[in-house]
Amino acid sequence: MRTARDIALKLIGDPSAALGLLIIVALVAVAVLAPLIATHPEAVWDMNPRDRLLPPSETYLFGTDRMGADIFSRILFGARITLTIAIVAVGAALMIGVPIGLISGWCGNWLGEALLRVSDIFLAVPQIVLAIAISQTLGPSIENVILALSVTYWPWFTRLVHAEVRALRHETFIEAAIALGVPTWRIVLLHVLPSVLSPIIVRTSIGMGFTILTASALGFLGLGAPPPAPEWGRMISEAREFLPEAWWSALAPGLAIFLVVMGFNLLGDGLRDVLDPRIRRGNPGR
Amino acid sequence: MRIAALILVRVAWLAPTLAGLVAIVFVISRVIPSDPVALLAGETASRAQIELLRQKLGLDRPLPRQLLDYYGQLARGDLGTSLFTTRAVWDDLSARLPATMELTIAAMILAVALGIPLGVVAALYRNRPTDHALRVVSVAGLALASFWLALMLQLFFAMDLRWLPLQARITGFPPPPITGFYVIDAVLEGNFKRLGDVFAHLILPAVTLAIPALATVVRFTRAGVLETLQRPFVTYQRAMGIPAGLIVWKYVLRNSLVSTVTQIGLLFGILLAGAVVIETVFQWPGIGAYAFEAILHSDYAAVMGFTVYAGVVFGIVNLIVDILHAVLDPRGTAA
């Protein structure tokens, strides 16, 4: 049994996973400490027309936007929105998706089949299409974006857990537990769930990155947090009309999205290598 | 026969799946305390105006009744009327589908034509600098926000260098459509000047759209080739002295591609999702740009119609992929 310490050491030993972890730690730190790090915390929401659309300089590291707000400070505060959306949406998707996956995977009967069919409905269109429909009907706000993303992301967890549980169902240790008369809830929670935890963790990391991308796209389309919230996707869409002159106002938020999503993807890949023995078998060189 | 059964089962499932999709959006929009009518009417509307609009839209009736009405409408192939264009949503979307399909197919060709060779190369040079470089590129490709990449490419290639057109499908007014696919139309008319123009307009959006799909193809091909390389037949062929190039590019690749075909459905999902967003950046007159305009105008029927329409298109593409897969790989396809 590998301990959490072994896993952590292995992760840090893998350069790309370590980089991913570093990016995420930095993101969390930036989100928490935004008011302290921001060079112009007062200029995140206030209008400052005299300083509008200034190029990057020592005063304004990433330049200013059309309101004269400091883009660097706005990005730092935007990290809070990004992180909140990703954590709450993926967390909710986990809480809906994993139990449904456990039930549908364990009960091979009509109930399992029905639950799977319901999750199929949500996968009948690309996530962003359904998310657009939901957030459009609800109106633009961060809460509605979170709702739209959780409602559209949980089936991915259900599918994953379902497939894993089906594969586990006839493993010797599970059959032994059934033969010993262990109550079903105990088997599922104490024997099945821990065994499917690894793929869930990997999927969570990659799902965070994916959710951030989708959330920023919703923001770009005008469905996210209403202005003047420093939401990265919306910042890019607001910068559009000032291209090509004020190129900096579109550059920085896009790089921020890229960096953060890259962090979650790298960590996810690293976790997959460390946690999933099947991948390692097919990849003996590592 | 087996394939006919597959088609039947899948087509039979499409209707309830779409019905479920509609029900989800309906229920969510009503359970949450938010008023689409008030949104639609605007902030200045009076209470009476809102009520009048509510009655006109049939939104004053009970939810199950509204849902049934909408199903009845859908069964007649009626997606409702767009409040903004005042045309049938189905006609609007169908007129715009060729633009989206042309873009999606161009991106798909780019992603597959570049992604498969790169994936094979990555597998052959596993854990060497080439593989690491390709991995960085493919991880990065999946982390880019497509709308941002689109803007950056526009900024560089269209605004700064002026090599490529900024947006739209064609210079000037669109020609009367034959198929609606401008590339095919230009070839049919033998108008090669226009063909060049159409290609120039296609490059930036297709490249933007292809990048995440390309990253996915590289990853899947790499994994598939690595797995196939370990199979006994490869060892046998090597022992027989068959040239390494022939083994890899013919026998190994053919055996690895079955899994790649399965991913085409997934790829199409990535591409369709991407198209929705980047069409608005490139003013590409497809269904994605239509959805964006519908959002801007709070055009409820159009957004809803777009969702159903995307479900139909997506369902048909996935069905075609499944049939293709059943033909290519007859093992273990349970309908």
Side-chain angles (χ1 to χ4, degrees), chain A residues 4-40:
Chain A
R5 192 161 160 269
D6 288 340
I7 292 171
L9 283 178
K10 263 197 184 143
L11 266 184
I12 296 169
D14 177 14
S16 62
L19 179 65
L21 199 60
L22 190 72
I23 294 173
I24 295 162
V25 170
L27 170 75
V28 174
V30 159
V32 173
L33 302 175
L36 298 176
I37 312 172
T39 45
H40 298 78

Side-chain angles (χ1 to χ4, degrees), chain A residues 117 121-122 124-125 132-133 136-138 213 216-217 220-221 223 236 240 244 250-251 254-255 258 261-262 269 286, chain B residues 13 17 20-21 24 29 32 34 135 140 142-143 147-148 151 155 159 219 280-281 292 295 298 300 307 311 314:
Chain A
R117 289 296 169 192
I121 293 173
F122 289 84
V125 285
I132 285 175
Q136 163 67 12
T137 45
L138 297 181
L213 272 186
S216 72
F220 180 77
L221 294 174
L223 290 170
I236 296 173
R240 256 181 92 184
L251 185 68
L255 286 178
F258 172 67
V261 177
M262 185 95 169
D269 276 5
R286 289 187 76 132
Chain B
W13 266 115
T17 305
L21 197 63
I24 289 163
S29 66
I32 305 299
S34 147
R135 183 176 311 155
L142 286 173
F147 55 92
W148 180 73
L151 282 176
L155 196 58
M159 295 178 182
R219 291 169 70 118
T280 68
V281 180
F292 176 64
I295 294 169
S298 294
Y300 183 74
T307 312
F314 202 50

Side-chain angles (χ1 to χ4, degrees), chain B residues 7 24 59 85 97 142 145 173 186 209 244 323:
Chain B
I7 296 174
I24 289 163
L59 292 174
T85 66
L97 185 63
L142 286 173
F173 282 107
L209 194 52
I323 294 170

Side-chain angles (χ1 to χ4, degrees), chain A residues 2 17 31 33 62-63 77 87 103 111 127 153-154 200 204 211 216 226 231 282:
Chain A
R2 282 164 307 140
L33 302 175
F62 295 165
F77 278 91
I87 291 174
I103 296 170
L111 179 66
Q127 190 199 9
Y153 201 69
W154 68 267
I200 294 177
T204 302
T211 302
S216 72
E231 199 273 320

Side-chain angles (χ1 to χ4, degrees), chain B residues 94-96 98-99 169-170 173-186 188-189 194:
Chain B
S94 299
R96 282 161 165 265
R169 285 179 82 187
I170 199 161
F173 282 107
I178 304 170
T179 60
F181 290 79
Y182 284 4
V183 172
I184 298 174
D185 286 2
L188 286 179
E189 288 181 17
R194 196 198 294 155

Side-chain angles (χ1 to χ4, degrees), chain B residues 285-308:
Chain B
I287 59 173
Y290 182 78
F292 176 64
E293 281 159 30
I295 294 169
L296 275 188
H297 300 115
S298 294
D299 195 340
Y300 183 74
V303 174
M304 203 66 175
F306 163 73
T307 312
V308 177

